[in-house]
Amino acid sequence: AFNLVNAQDFKHSISLSFGTATPKGDFGSLDINNNKAGGAAAGICIDLEYKGFLFHDKIGMLGLIKNQFNPMDGDYLALQTPVGTTVTSDNWVLNGYLLGAFYDVQLWEKGFFHPKVAVGMLNATSPKLAFEIFNHALHYIPRNVFARATC
């Protein structure tokens, strides 16, 4: 991920990061024989994070808002539909928030390492699919697949 914006003073920081969301495991599987395959392609993730030393000069609190968007892989959709079928889809969407703590480890004068522990809620939404078969429109087929990706 790339850190787009970072504003900080000695005790607090706010950062906006973005990067590639690479689907892993069943979520990114294109195997048409796998009924758990998500068919997700690489997408984007955007994170907004606050970190602050509130109680101690080495232990801080953090909050993270996460958003991730993964499109459906076009080849995966084409393999599962008959010739003459057009398929359009929304993105897989993963969003949520995390709250936790971090520890400040100074590596050198201006270099720091912050191991983090956080818990929170994440919500994954499967894409809506629309099929057009020989000029007849069919809609729907949401899939419930466990979504896992790295950002």
Side-chain angles (χ1 to χ4, degrees), residues 32-104:
I32 62 171
N33 297 313
N34 178 356
N35 65 357
K36 292 183 179 180
I44 61 168
C45 62
I46 303 168
D47 296 340
L48 178 63
E49 181 182 56
Y50 164 80
K51 290 192 308 189
F53 294 100
L54 303 175
F55 308 112
H56 190 275
D57 64 346
K58 291 284 187 187
I59 300 172
M61 301 297 289
L62 67 93
L64 175 74
I65 299 172
K66 178 175 191 55
N67 288 289
Q68 176 178 315
F69 308 93
N70 292 85
M72 291 288 290
D73 187 280
D75 292 337
Y76 174 75
L77 293 172
L79 287 171
Q80 297 204 43
T81 55
V83 176
T85 304
T86 304
V87 183
T88 56
S89 70
D90 293 342
N91 291 326
W92 284 95
V93 178
L94 177 70
N95 53 36
Y97 63 89
L98 298 167
L99 299 172
F102 68 95
Y103 186 75
D104 185 38

Side-chain angles (χ1 to χ4, degrees), residues 22-41:
T22 307
K24 303 288 183 190
D26 287 338
F27 181 49
S29 175
L30 304 181
D31 181 2
I32 62 171
N33 297 313
N34 178 356
N35 65 357
K36 292 183 179 180

Side-chain angles (χ1 to χ4, degrees), residues 100-118:
F102 68 95
Y103 186 75
D104 185 38
V105 179
Q106 186 169 0
L107 301 175
W108 55 87
E109 183 182 346
K110 293 192 177 190
F112 298 92
F113 175 66
H114 290 153
K116 305 173 190 177
V117 175

